Amino acid sequence: MTKPRVGVVGTGWWAGTAHLPALAAHPGADLTAICEPKADRAREVAARFGVRHVFVDLADLLAAEVVDGLVIATPHTTHHALARAALEAGVHVLVEKPLTTSAAEAFDLVDLAESRGLQLTVGYTYHHTPAAAFVRDAVREEIGDLVCVAAQFNSATQTLFGGGDDPGEPDVPHPMTYADPARSGGGQGHTQVTHLMGAVIWTTGREVEEVFCYQDDRGLPVDLVDVMAFRFAGGGLGTVTSTGTAVDGQPPRHRIHYDGTRGTVFHDLATGAATLVRAGGQRVECPPPSEGPAYPVGAPVRAFAELLAGRGTNRAPGDLAAATVAFLDAAYRSAASGRAERVPHRGDANH
């Protein structure tokens, strides 16, 4: 297919400000359908972006056979059921991160997509930057054996995770989508740590064997501060720190350091820059992008359309996203149990 037909399930903040505008403007995609249970919202969004087919139920959309691919941009805990229905109908799927909120559900989607010969990809925006490609090559080819990874992500999510009444404006984040564990599955971990570990696992191509996690909700209904220590399968250690307590004027800290036996890589996700330091001190720089944002919000759906058209590769494949979910699954269990927890792997007999 040269111009795949793509639909979007969910028309909330992120779909309305990232996915839908990018698809509508992309010459390589035909934005054909919207699925949104709030009929008035669905019609308004369809009119705004020139979408022909409007549905309030996913089953009706799938039965109409008007899409080749679907973007799932709904609350975290709904991802599995919606993505599974699409895959069972023979439709390729991009799921907004996190892929799911449990390892078993994530592995189920990967298995199903592979069995049907379908593409499953995840909305990890940082993967679609020049710095991400530079870092991946440097970590895999330049720094020798991976010894240690240190990752940090701060953000101002405290108000969002505090809950309260949702605003009337749909194109802004709705606190109850994130503050209600029944919808979000968790707080800083599923919303922000997923960025870091999604990048680490995609960059290294390595799964994590075991993780110990401390969490602090600071009186909120979901975790706000996460500190994790982990061990890679096959050797190498890592740490993750993430807090949602950033204040106005505080510079973002979204960064990952990879230390190897022959060098180090510094990845600044916030600026889109990276540096390789080889043994002996030689530095190789990947500067921030000269054009376009460091966080290209429309890139995942454009890449999804190109993937379906046969013009691109899967930059955020389901199997690596599932390994990220498995890491978070074990981290949340560790925070509850007070001990290190084994990270489930897709090859386990009872995943």
Side-chain angles (χ1 to χ4, degrees), residues 188 214-220 222-227 242 335:
Q188 195 75 3
Y214 284 112
Q215 291 183 334
D216 187 354
D217 59 23
R218 299 187 64 81
L220 302 182
V222 293
D223 53 295
L224 182 65
V225 183
D226 297 333
V227 176
S242 185

Side-chain angles (χ1 to χ4, degrees), residues 249-311:
Q250 182 176 345
R253 292 288 186 270
H254 306 165
R255 53 193 180 184
I256 308 170
H257 294 180
Y258 300 88
D259 290 307
T261 55
R262 298 201 310 267
T264 298
V265 179
F266 303 91
H267 187 186
D268 188 334
L269 288 78
T271 65
T275 302
L276 162 66
V277 182
R278 296 188 175 113
Q282 181 188 14
R283 299 173 67 91
V284 182
E285 304 286 347
C286 177
S290 58
E291 296 181 2
Y295 191 65
V297 298
V301 292
R302 289 192 295 267
F304 181 50
E306 295 302 296
L307 176 64
L308 300 192
R311 295 187 293 262

Side-chain angles (χ1 to χ4, degrees), residues 3 16 35 67 96 120 122-123 143 183 213 220 256 302 309 325 327 337 346:
K3 194 171 184 179
C35 183
V67 297
E96 189 46 62
L120 175 64
V122 178
I143 67 171
R183 295 183 182 183
C213 176
L220 302 182
I256 308 170
R302 289 192 295 267
V325 172
F327 171 87
S337 71
R346 187 174 162 219

Side-chain angles (χ1 to χ4, degrees), residues 9 32 46 57 68 70 82 85 105-106 109 114 133 182 210 275 305 317 319:
V9 182
T32 58
D57 185 85
D68 304 303
L70 273 179
L82 296 172
E105 290 182 341
L109 294 181
E114 288 191 0
E210 188 177 65
T275 302
D319 59 342

Side-chain angles (χ1 to χ4, degrees), residues 48-68:
R48 191 197 318 173
F49 293 106
V51 181
R52 298 188 298 278
H53 303 288
V54 181
F55 301 89
V56 296
D57 185 85
L58 179 59
D60 293 335
L61 185 159
L62 295 172
E65 298 184 349
V66 294
V67 297
D68 304 303

Side-chain angles (χ1 to χ4, degrees), residues 182-209:
R183 295 183 182 183
S184 66
Q188 195 75 3
H190 282 309
T191 305
Q192 310 286 250
V193 175
T194 186
H195 282 295
L196 287 176
M197 289 308 298
V200 167
I201 290 171
W202 180 82
T203 296
T204 63
R206 304 270 294 278
E207 292 184 298
V208 174
E209 189 72 28

Side-chain angles (χ1 to χ4, degrees), residues 68-94:
D68 304 303
L70 273 179
V71 176
I72 308 294
T74 58
H76 302 162
T77 56
T78 67
H79 289 178
H80 175 256
L82 296 172
R84 181 169 239 289
L87 292 168
E88 287 180 331
V91 174
H92 305 283
V93 177
L94 182 154

